[in-house]
Amino acid sequence: MLADQQFLRIPGPSPIPPSVQLAMGKPMIGHRDQEAKSLIKQLKPRLNPIFGTKEDVLILTGSGTAALEMAVVNSVEPGDEVLVLVSGSFGDRFTKICQAYGIHVHRLDTKWGEAINPKDVETYLQAHPDLKGVFSTYCETSTGVLNPVKEIATVVRHHSDALIIVDGVSCVGAVPVEMDNWGIDILVTGSQKAFMLPAGLAFVAASERAWNRIEENNTPRFYLDLKRYRDSIKNDTTPFTPALSLLFGLEQVLRLLETEGLENVFGRHRLMMQMTRSAFKAHHIELLTTDEAASPTVTAVKPTDFKAEEFRKILNEEFKVSIAGGQHQLKGKIFRIGHMGYCSPADVLQTISLIEMALIRIGKTVELGRGIAAAQKTYLA
Amino acid sequence: MLADQQFLRIPGPSPIPPSVQLAMGKPMIGHRDQEAKSLIKQLKPRLNPIFGTKEDVLILTGSGTAALEMAVVNSVEPGDEVLVLVSGSFGDRFTKICQAYGIHVHRLDTKWGEAINPKDVETYLQAHPDLKGVFSTYCETSTGVLNPVKEIATVVRHHSDALIIVDGVSCVGAVPVEMDNWGIDILVTGSQKAFMLPAGLAFVAASERAWNRIEENNTPRFYLDLKRYRDSIKNDTTPFTPALSLLFGLEQVLRLLETEGLENVFGRHRLMMQMTRSAFKAHHIELLTTDEAASPTVTAVKPTDFKAEEFRKILNEEFKVSIAGGQHQLKGKIFRIGHMGYCSPADVLQTISLIEMALIRIGKTVELGRGIAAAQKTYLA
């Protein structure tokens, strides 16, 4: 097939828009120069609507995990009791980070592929009134579940003084989030998902309530000390050298999101999810999650009569489509299709048409075009 | 829909591969520097297989029309009698260029949408033995016809001393051409079609027989004087300032073509043509050309129960797909889909899935997915 063509349909990193790629090619500048300050100054307010907060959204040079760790080390201290809501491998990661710092972790596990039930959180909180933090994952990338963080936050606020910390890595920018209105205390995301950038930047915002705890927090920290970032951004700068090319790209990303309009961006992601799901349903191929629990950014498919890994291999080798496999307990049992960021309904149709052909190649009997027709109908409805 | 996404499916300019775009971003160099000479030296032999010639393929900075004019002013002189084989608007352009130079033009017209019949050329040549040149169009972009230039060249060689001049603009690089074996005297193409570059470069090669005539040709010319280009390329340079960024890009284009392999490139184009045609046939939508006359680079569709221009408008506005309309006598009567250069079967499937939705939008009753299924079957066959 055509050289130089690859369809990146994993749930992040996501494809980079050409205009963002070009923007990142801008000549380097000094990060303490006025030009860098001007850039950060104009980027700053444009991040607020994406997080749904009036607080400053701080920019960290690091990957999503750095931002998760930043959330942990600033909000709770060794010996504190916290609740981690685990619905997949990224919830699990929160527990590992907490444990590395000697934090006493309570886990509330849900079956992988299902969403956290706020009622279960409520029951747990009633039995454990001394929790200092509740950690949850908005989109659980490993299962394609969008957890009801709004409802979870409401329950936590009602029953506890725990800070509500949300990992929004694989969905913020693609789905609605109202940090202030929902009562989220710390929200983090990364650059390589709905933000349409390479990995390397992470974004963190904290509520006033969180800032009070952060001020008092004695966990040893330096690079990940949120206070340093807050103090720096007031002067339109960062405490440490920022990944400037990614900031050049971020400026163009924000322009793209503003041009399309955030509501339209959210609508596009919902539509891509619905199109993808309708295509698999038309072929009677099982989805891991219910419609209600499904994330607009990633769809997990659970094949029962063909091998996920064999299918992924053909799809990648012959059709140049990269999708993700399952992680941990779901390894070999599911495959995951990303539809986030620089991805459109037209791309979903292309992916499905190639998926249908790959299914034929691995010997599955499918009616060609059936999934496409279902997705087209969903679009046109 | 998604900002920053546009599907360029006109029959040229064609999309630029990302790696070619990056290559063109290389810092500028002096065109008389050693680096430029080294570049041209290594590009030169890599163009020969694409043209199927052992002669130097000369590089002109200009568009396809500049190359057509170059072919005219170097091969024939004012007052000479020539035959132009006209199967569409680019055949017609050859007549206009010839007329601008006071050349006596005989036209052999075929119905737009049909290929030139070599037998008609034979009959014409028998009645007009004194022709100095026969001009033909390999792919007639305006109709999606691939003319049988091999057979035409055979007939011309057999019955006449006329030079055989071929416009290969919208197909060379995507379809086989054996300039030397077929007896073509002058072959030209441009950079913005199968060469996957922006417009700005044109490529011209001439046979030994042609060079003898070029040497004796007295038509006043300077920028388009082929002899200057021949003399310069012997020293790995160009007579006038070349479009260097495009040469940087050309280096990467050749790498892509060589990586895929020319035979595979030709096969991919044939397959894209077959997939496109099978999709429209599945929907019982008329094609302008027969299978035998169809070009692997562009497909012309002749709708009978919907308006081509209304359809093109919706396809562009809602689905971000640019396709071309009809030209001159076919204006409003056909639309044309390019599938050349940086375009794959996966792109064809995407285009067809969007076309099906645009047909629904303009009120045509189509069975969604039917064209896709036909194209998928063609691919998998």
Side-chain angles (χ1 to χ4, degrees):
Chain A
M1 251 203 200
L2 182 57
D4 207 23
Q5 191 176 52
Q6 184 74 29
F7 304 106
L8 189 65
R9 298 286 168 246
I10 58 176
S14 61
I16 315 294
S19 65
V20 174
Q21 194 75 53
L22 278 176
M24 291 191 298
K26 208 174 104 80
M28 194 43 58
I29 58 175
H31 59 286
R32 300 296 177 217
D33 290 355
Q34 188 53 48
E35 195 179 342
K37 284 188 172 226
S38 303
L39 175 62
I40 291 171
K41 184 177 184 170
Q42 60 107 327
L43 291 174
K44 208 165 55 171
R46 299 161 77 185
L47 293 167
N48 296 101
I50 300 173
F51 271 60
T53 184
K54 60 176 188 357
E55 302 290 336
D56 281 338
V57 178
L58 309 172
I59 302 170
L60 166 71
T61 298
S63 70
T65 302
L68 298 185
E69 182 164 343
M70 193 178 218
V72 170
V73 298
N74 286 277
S75 62
V76 292
E77 295 184 62
D80 280 355
E81 293 195 30
V82 304
L83 173 64
V84 181
L85 308 176
V86 181
S87 55
S89 73
F90 289 94
D92 199 53
R93 181 160 299 181
F94 255 144
T95 70
K96 293 199 173 83
I97 296 170
C98 288
Q99 284 159 353
Y101 282 91
I103 292 155
H104 182 160
V105 173
H106 299 257
R107 288 173 69 116
L108 183 60
D109 280 90
T110 192
K111 193 180 163 200
W112 287 31
E114 291 179 5
I116 298 287
N117 186 339
K119 283 204 191 313
D120 295 341
V121 180
E122 187 164 31
T123 309
Y124 203 96
L125 288 172
Q126 285 165 341
H128 301 81
D130 296 330
L131 298 171
K132 290 287 192 286
V134 176
F135 293 82
S136 65
T137 314
Y138 195 1
C139 172
E140 177 49 66
T141 325
S142 64
T143 62
V145 160
L146 193 76
N147 281 303
V149 294
K150 179 186 177 183
E151 291 73 16
I152 291 168
T154 304
V155 161
V156 176
R157 274 288 161 106
H158 195 254
H159 292 281
S160 154
D161 278 335
L163 290 179
I164 300 156
I165 296 114
V166 175
D167 165 2
V169 171
S170 64
C171 66
V172 168
V175 302
V177 60
E178 297 178 36
M179 191 178 154
D180 294 350
N181 290 339
W182 298 357
I184 295 171
D185 291 302
I186 298 182
L187 177 64
V188 312
T189 194
S191 53
Q192 77 278 22
K193 308 270 184 171
F195 273 71
M196 306 186 278
L197 286 166
L201 292 183
F203 306 93
V204 183
S207 69
E208 200 179 321
R209 211 163 75 104
W211 280 116
N212 293 334
R213 304 263 193 104
I214 293 165
E215 292 284 357
E216 296 163 5
N217 189 304
N218 289 313
T219 308
R221 59 200 194 274
F222 191 84
Y223 188 69
L224 297 180
D225 185 353
L226 264 174
K227 297 193 301 301
R228 296 176 191 270
Y229 290 81
R230 179 197 56 188
D231 297 347
S232 290
I233 208 158
K234 287 194 195 310
N235 298 314
D236 303 322
T237 188
T238 54
F240 312 111
T241 314
L244 268 168
S245 294
L246 298 182
L247 293 181
F248 298 156
L250 177 60
E251 205 280 320
Q252 176 59 19
V253 162
L254 293 171
R255 198 174 298 168
L256 291 177
L257 293 176
E258 290 157 4
T259 301
E260 188 175 358
L262 266 188
E263 284 307 317
N264 294 330
V265 171
F266 301 156
R268 169 165 56 82
H269 283 85
R270 270 196 311 278
L271 178 57
M272 293 194 295
M273 167 188 76
Q274 289 158 353
M275 289 170 72
T276 304
R277 294 178 68 83
S278 66
F280 285 100
K281 286 177 187 172
H283 284 301
H284 307 292
I285 297 172
E286 207 176 313
L287 297 164
L288 181 66
T289 72
T290 62
D291 287 350
E292 294 68 35
S295 170
T297 55
V298 50
T299 296
V301 183
K302 191 181 168 187
T304 49
D305 59 352
F306 62 93
K307 292 199 167 72
E309 291 306 295
E310 187 193 350
F311 168 70
R312 283 214 303 138
K313 190 165 181 280
I314 290 279
L315 192 60
N316 189 31
E317 287 178 1
E318 179 168 355
F319 299 103
K320 307 297 177 196
V321 181
S322 299
I323 60 172
Q327 297 180 321
H328 306 293
Q329 56 181 264
L330 291 174
K331 202 172 164 70
K333 295 182 182 158
I334 62 165
F335 56 86
R336 294 172 297 142
I337 302 164
H339 32 76
M340 69 174 85
Y342 187 59
C343 185
S344 72
D347 295 319
V348 168
L349 292 171
Q350 184 176 48
T351 305
I352 295 167
S353 67
L354 299 173
I355 282 174
E356 289 183 342
M357 296 202 298
L359 288 171
I360 294 283
R361 281 286 195 249
I362 62 163
K364 183 166 162 62
T365 307
V366 295
E367 187 194 326
L368 288 167
R370 188 184 180 92
I372 284 288
Q376 287 172 319
K377 278 172 198 145
T378 302
Y379 176 94
L380 292 168
Chain B
M1 251 204 200
L2 182 56
D4 207 26
Q5 192 177 53
Q6 184 75 30
F7 304 106
L8 189 64
R9 298 287 168 243
I10 57 175
S14 61
I16 314 295
S19 65
V20 173
Q21 194 75 53
L22 278 176
M24 291 191 297
K26 208 174 105 80
M28 193 43 58
I29 57 175
H31 60 286
R32 299 298 176 215
D33 290 354
Q34 187 54 46
E35 195 179 341
K37 282 188 173 225
S38 301
L39 176 63
I40 291 171
K41 184 176 183 169
Q42 60 107 327
L43 291 174
K44 207 164 58 171
R46 299 162 77 185
L47 293 167
N48 296 101
I50 301 173
F51 271 61
T53 184
K54 59 174 191 357
E55 302 291 336
D56 282 338
V57 178
L58 308 172
I59 301 170
L60 166 71
T61 298
S63 70
T65 302
L68 298 185
E69 182 164 340
M70 193 178 217
V72 169
V73 298
N74 286 277
S75 63
V76 292
E77 295 184 61
D80 279 357
E81 291 195 32
V82 303
L83 173 64
V84 181
L85 307 176
V86 181
S87 55
S89 73
F90 289 93
D92 199 53
R93 181 161 299 181
F94 255 146
T95 69
K96 292 198 174 82
I97 296 169
C98 287
Q99 282 158 353
Y101 282 91
I103 291 155
H104 181 161
V105 174
H106 299 258
R107 289 173 70 116
L108 183 59
D109 280 90
T110 191
K111 194 181 163 199
W112 285 32
E114 292 179 4
I116 298 287
N117 186 339
K119 283 204 191 315
D120 294 342
V121 180
E122 187 166 31
T123 308
Y124 204 95
L125 288 171
Q126 286 164 339
H128 301 81
D130 295 329
L131 298 172
K132 291 286 193 285
V134 176
F135 292 83
S136 65
T137 314
Y138 194 1
C139 172
E140 176 49 65
T141 325
S142 64
T143 63
V145 160
L146 193 76
N147 281 304
V149 293
K150 178 185 176 183
E151 291 72 16
I152 291 168
T154 304
V155 160
V156 175
R157 273 289 160 106
H158 194 257
H159 292 281
S160 153
D161 278 334
L163 290 179
I164 300 156
I165 296 114
V166 174
D167 165 1
V169 171
S170 64
C171 67
V172 168
V175 301
V177 60
E178 298 178 36
M179 191 179 154
D180 294 352
N181 290 339
W182 297 358
I184 295 170
D185 291 301
I186 298 182
L187 177 64
V188 310
T189 194
S191 54
Q192 78 278 21
K193 309 270 183 170
F195 272 70
M196 305 186 278
L197 286 167
L201 292 183
F203 305 92
V204 184
S207 69
E208 200 180 320
R209 211 165 73 105
W211 280 117
N212 293 334
R213 304 263 193 105
I214 292 164
E215 292 284 358
E216 296 163 6
N217 189 304
N218 289 313
T219 307
R221 59 200 194 275
F222 190 84
Y223 188 71
L224 297 180
D225 186 352
L226 264 174
K227 297 193 303 298
R228 295 175 191 271
Y229 290 81
R230 178 196 58 189
D231 297 346
S232 291
I233 208 158
K234 288 193 195 311
N235 298 313
D236 303 321
T237 189
T238 55
F240 313 111
T241 314
L244 267 168
S245 294
L246 299 181
L247 292 181
F248 298 155
L250 177 59
E251 205 281 322
Q252 176 59 18
V253 162
L254 293 171
R255 199 174 297 169
L256 291 176
L257 293 176
E258 290 157 5
T259 301
E260 187 175 0
L262 267 188
E263 284 306 318
N264 294 330
V265 171
F266 301 157
R268 170 165 54 83
H269 283 85
R270 269 196 311 277
L271 178 57
M272 295 195 292
M273 166 189 76
Q274 288 159 351
M275 290 171 73
T276 304
R277 294 178 69 83
S278 66
F280 284 99
K281 286 177 188 173
H283 285 301
H284 307 293
I285 298 171
E286 205 176 313
L287 298 163
L288 180 66
T289 71
T290 61
D291 288 351
E292 294 68 35
S295 169
T297 56
V298 51
T299 296
V301 183
K302 191 181 168 186
T304 49
D305 59 353
F306 62 93
K307 291 199 167 72
E309 291 306 295
E310 187 193 349
F311 168 69
R312 284 215 301 139
K313 190 165 181 279
I314 291 279
L315 192 60
N316 190 31
E317 287 178 2
E318 180 168 354
F319 300 103
K320 308 296 178 197
V321 181
S322 298
I323 60 171
Q327 297 179 320
H328 306 292
Q329 55 179 266
L330 290 174
K331 201 173 167 69
K333 295 183 181 156
I334 63 166
F335 56 86
R336 294 172 298 143
I337 301 164
H339 32 77
M340 71 173 84
Y342 187 58
C343 186
S344 71
D347 296 319
V348 168
L349 291 172
Q350 183 176 49
T351 305
I352 294 167
S353 67
L354 298 173
I355 281 174
E356 288 183 343
M357 296 203 296
L359 288 171
I360 293 283
R361 282 286 195 248
I362 62 162
K364 184 167 162 60
T365 307
V366 295
E367 187 194 327
L368 288 167
R370 188 187 179 91
I372 285 288
Q376 287 172 319
K377 278 172 198 145
T378 302
Y379 176 94
L380 293 167

